[in-house]
Amino acid sequence: MGILAHLEAYQRSLDREVHQLDSLGVRLADSNEGGVIVQNRAESSLVTEVKEKQFNDPLLAQLKEGIHKHKTIAFSLGMDDGTPRYEGRLCVSDIDGLRERILAEAHTSRYSVHPSSKKMYHDLKEVYWWNNMKRYVADFVAKCPNCQQVKVEHQKPRGMLKSIEIPMWK
């Protein structure tokens, strides 16, 4: 983006358009053949919201300050956006029920179809992190009404087994 500083006055609209593309996640790069490479990255709206909510969380602000002062080892700042991360995963604040929405999307979206707490935790921990995340996931799945009805451990036992008389043939 710094390369655009040398543009002439009549080329300023190009500068605005490139900045607008940048805000949409589109990246421009030079190719070896002299052309321009256009890269577009897709990002979940929840990931974007997590990044926005991090600025409103006082605990994450303290954590960010600790990262700058090199007081925390496991936490770092994202290279491209400067957001706090734990071992490369996004730190999720508990503002406006954001964690609940992440859990709801991971459990009841049309692409996931009510996974178990173990599978759901392993899927979520690749992207997100928060304190006691495994317990949050297990509690969320345990409260799901569909899972309570379908899972084997929640069904009534059939009752006592009865012995059947075997007829004797002579």
Side-chain angles (χ1 to χ4, degrees):
M1 299 306 291
I3 301 170
L4 298 176
H6 70 280
L7 291 176
E8 299 293 329
Y10 67 90
Q11 295 172 320
R12 294 292 177 202
S13 65
L14 176 64
D15 179 40
R16 281 191 300 275
E17 290 172 6
V18 170
H19 279 287
Q20 191 175 26
L21 285 173
D22 181 55
S23 69
L24 295 172
V26 176
R27 302 287 181 255
L28 302 176
D30 292 330
S31 72
N32 294 336
E33 294 82 31
V36 176
I37 299 172
V38 179
Q39 299 172 329
N40 189 12
R41 65 185 159 101
E43 191 172 79
S44 166
S45 60
L46 280 175
V47 170
T48 305
E49 191 173 350
V50 166
K51 290 178 181 179
E52 290 171 0
K53 301 283 183 186
Q54 284 182 339
F55 296 108
N56 300 332
D57 191 349
L59 292 174
L60 289 179
Q62 288 177 350
L63 179 68
K64 207 172 184 179
E65 189 176 308
I67 293 170
H68 285 299
K69 294 180 180 177
H70 302 290
K71 291 183 178 180
T72 59
I73 298 170
F75 291 92
S76 62
L77 294 178
M79 298 300 278
D80 57 342
D81 52 11
T83 57
R85 295 176 181 265
Y86 176 75
E87 297 178 353
R89 300 180 285 169
L90 277 172
C91 296
V92 179
S93 58
D94 197 16
I95 296 177
D96 297 333
L98 186 58
R99 292 177 184 172
E100 292 292 322
R101 286 194 311 219
I102 290 171
L103 294 172
E105 182 172 315
H107 190 67
T108 59
S109 74
R110 64 177 70 169
Y111 303 110
S112 62
V113 191
H114 296 272
S116 67
S117 60
K118 186 175 180 179
K119 167 131 178 56
M120 190 168 141
Y121 172 71
H122 284 288
D123 289 346
L124 286 176
K125 79 174 188 172
E126 292 179 11
V127 180
Y128 304 110
W129 176 87
W130 64 81
N131 259 349
N132 299 320
M133 184 173 161
K134 194 170 191 175
R135 185 182 314 148
Y136 271 82
V137 172
D139 290 345
F140 186 87
V141 173
K143 293 177 186 174
C144 176
N146 288 348
C147 293
Q148 286 178 0
Q149 292 175 355
V150 174
K151 304 287 179 177
V152 174
E153 64 264 14
H154 299 294
Q155 293 180 357
K156 291 182 181 179
R158 297 277 178 177
M160 299 294 287
L161 293 177
K162 298 178 183 175
S163 60
I164 300 173
E165 290 186 33
I166 301 174
M168 300 290 278
W169 296 97
K170 292 185 185 181

